[in-house]
Amino acid sequence: MQHVQLERLLSEMTMDEKIGQLLQISGDFYSTTAQERTGPMSQLGLTEREIANAGSVLGVGGAAECRRIQTEYMARHRLHIPTLFMGDVIHGYRTIFPIPLGLASSWDVDAAAQMARISARESAVSGLFLTFSPMVDLVRDPRWGRVMESTGEDPRLNAEFARAMVRGYQGGDLRNDVERVAACVKHFAAYGAPVGGRDYNTVDMSERELRDMYLPGYRAAIEAGAKTVMTSFNTVNGMPASGNKHLLRDILRKEWGFDGALISDYEAVRELVTNGVAQDDEQAAKLAIEAGVDIEMMSVCYLRHLRDLVESGRVDCAIVDEAVMRVLELKNDLGLFENPLRGADEGRERSVVLSDEHRAAARDIAGECVVLLKNGAGILPLHADVPASIALAGPCATSHDLLGAWSWQGRQKETVSLAEGLLARHPHAVTVARESCDYDDPSPAAIAEAVDMARSASVVVLALGETSDMSGEAASRSDIRLPHGQIDMLRAVRAVNPNVVVVLFNGRPLDLTEVDREARAIVEAWFPGTEAGRAVADVLVGATNPSGKLTMSFPRTVGQVPVYYNSCSTGRPYEAKPREKYVSKYLDVANDPLYPFGFGLSYSTFSYGPVTVSGAEFDDRHPLRVDVSIANTSDVDGVEIAQLYVRDLVGDAVRPVKELKGFSRVRIAAGSSVTVTFSLTPDDVRYVHPDLAFTSDPGEFDIMVGPDSRHLSSPIRVVLKS
Ligand code: NOJ
């Protein structure tokens, strides 16, 4: 449709039809069983007419179901406007990929784009038009369960992943390419910084910090063309995001020019009342619509009150029209007026969803995301030449709970366990524990069996971790160690056999101090998805050489939290005077994390040569070229992720001690070397100044290169000319 046609359509709509477009309700309302409908209907108090007018649906999947709902919906709608199916496809639809925090550990933005591309294809043939992804909230606090949905603690990396995922979901021609879906970047804004790591909690930070660290991810997604944005649950500097005019109108709309649809998070408009910034639902509706929220998800403040607010002149009708037009435009951008069923196709659904090709991609990508945290005495990869030499035990050994908390359509029974993966590789060498093993409290029998197996095995693989509901939404933890029972099991096994390889399945950085003490090797596998067991077995046996590196620091203890690599310099840096008391430090633990940002080992060994820069100065016309030669000094081919960090020595605001400004994922054949080249421009070192200007500081910078944020070359001083 042309824009004029949309305007004509808008002019034909009654006020109720307009307000209907601004309501999103769940799929239950369209169920064919009265039983499923009545609960939600009475909860929200919706009439059949209101359901018939609601503009979008949350959480329906399946081509047949979407086709049925759409057909019935359009037949009932006076103007035959199609509805819009949205859902949470966060790291895969039915073929589940690693959780985003794992995906980010690949540092492979093309892999993220491929994950999004496959997710889009599976979602679209199953009837969905839009996914509530990417989630780009910057995170520094592993107590918060939703760190699993994020790509980590670095704004630049977050922005790169955000762009890649939008590209993968939407492609270049959303209207005609019916195997793509619209993206929704969330949770705007700063949802990842709740006080104390407690979900839904307050966020209060300077505008400078907000813009410098937290907003770049969202902005990158929008610049990449994300069609929609979701508000966050939290307050941002005193006002909940869903009523926050400054965030939504001043920054998102005016400054960034975002003209797509803005949707609230689940019931977040009504929560303006619970938050205590609105007296009642009517005031909540006024606050949200004036702040710029177009679609209200799963609460009915707009539905119940917008009409009165407009008729009494308290809300300008133009604001409502503007919101409705954005929804119509979104539907139009998806080609729904011409093709209301889009890609929904039961035949294709059968062949596309969970296809061998998608599973193979999920396996490869999951392999890239594994982070080898420790490999004492080169115990890995496993040697499988002796029968029954490898014992596999622990709560995650045979578990299929490996998809993570956000795998709505994923099925555990389609997921490969570690035992299945390892046995397929080495049927004779691997013995698997039979006792059932609880995550919180492995029974004495399970521990005794593991100990017994350990006595006769050359290596014990202990698969430990969290259940998927220990991270994700509403799953904050104050203690981020493994459950005590698992540590007891590890100690007992370690007491009889020092060759313990711990494989971890979990959704957040954990405090691994005790594990690090006991285990000879540690493999961080995250929640790897459908192909979990195969991908991890590939790594354990050396068919995949691990290359993943952390994008979020692993603290030594929860008391260090938040601990992140790009912290600001203090006036009393510990490093300068480690023996003094009056420096910025803890009395009882080191400042740095156990495993730092950027860290991860390989079966290859890499040696970095001297770093060279193209000159002592750089400016707009003369970017700095930074070269480093990296040698693979081992006899296995490997992939290294080389990282460039910069420190701005004198800024108008205090700057981080180091900031990631480039990375390169390079394959290096055994025994050979490659030269990695980075480029640094004045744009790369711009930041948000105290007056909120986004500029750079002329003057001195230190350049450092290395395999992670801790092991860096000695700084090379360069000057940015004014
Ligand atoms: C609440 C979550 O915060 C959000 O991430 C999700 O997209 C919506 N629910 C819809 O399910």
Side-chain angles (χ1 to χ4, degrees), residues 257-419:
F258 175 69
D259 61 2
L262 180 55
I263 184 167
S264 77
D265 202 342
Y266 203 101
E267 292 182 339
V269 173
R270 222 200 65 75
E271 287 175 14
L272 294 171
V273 179
T274 331
N275 262 296
V277 291
Q279 175 88 33
D280 49 27
D281 287 5
E282 182 184 81
Q283 204 188 348
K286 181 169 157 56
L287 264 178
I289 194 88
E290 288 185 339
V293 174
D294 301 316
I295 303 174
E296 179 179 1
M297 186 196 291
M298 285 303 283
S299 54
V300 289
C301 304
Y302 284 7
L303 187 73
R304 296 281 165 258
H305 302 287
L306 269 187
R307 169 186 275 281
D308 265 8
L309 285 167
V310 171
E311 284 176 1
S312 62
R314 281 171 296 158
V315 163
D316 188 346
C317 185
I319 294 187
V320 174
D321 282 355
E322 184 187 297
V324 177
M325 183 50 94
R326 288 208 190 94
V327 178
L328 297 179
E329 273 168 353
L330 175 61
K331 293 183 174 181
N332 194 37
D333 288 349
L334 283 157
L336 295 183
F337 290 105
E338 294 78 19
N339 187 5
L341 301 172
R342 263 187 124 247
D345 179 328
E346 286 169 77
R348 291 215 17 88
E349 187 181 30
R350 274 191 293 276
S351 61
V352 163
V353 166
L354 203 69
S355 65
D356 290 349
E357 182 197 338
H358 291 178
R359 288 194 81 130
R363 178 177 183 168
D364 288 349
I365 290 176
E368 278 189 13
C369 300
V370 172
V371 186
L372 180 62
L373 292 174
K374 180 174 180 183
N375 192 13
I379 186 173
L380 289 174
L382 298 174
H383 299 289
D385 28 22
V386 184
S389 57
I390 302 166
L392 174 63
C396 307
T398 53
S399 169
H400 291 85
D401 181 11
L402 305 173
L403 299 177
W406 257 137
S407 49
W408 166 42
Q409 294 283 339
R411 300 185 184 169
Q412 291 197 9
K413 66 174 192 293
E414 293 163 353
T415 304
V416 184
S417 70
L418 182 56

Side-chain angles (χ1 to χ4, degrees), residues 510-544:
L510 294 166
D511 161 357
L512 295 177
T513 299
E514 287 159 292
V515 178
D516 185 70
R517 210 175 286 137
E518 302 289 333
R520 187 147 269 179
I522 305 176
V523 175
E524 175 54 78
W526 310 107
F527 286 111
T530 312
E531 287 290 310
R534 288 197 192 101
V536 177
D538 291 344
V539 171
L540 293 178
V541 305
T544 298

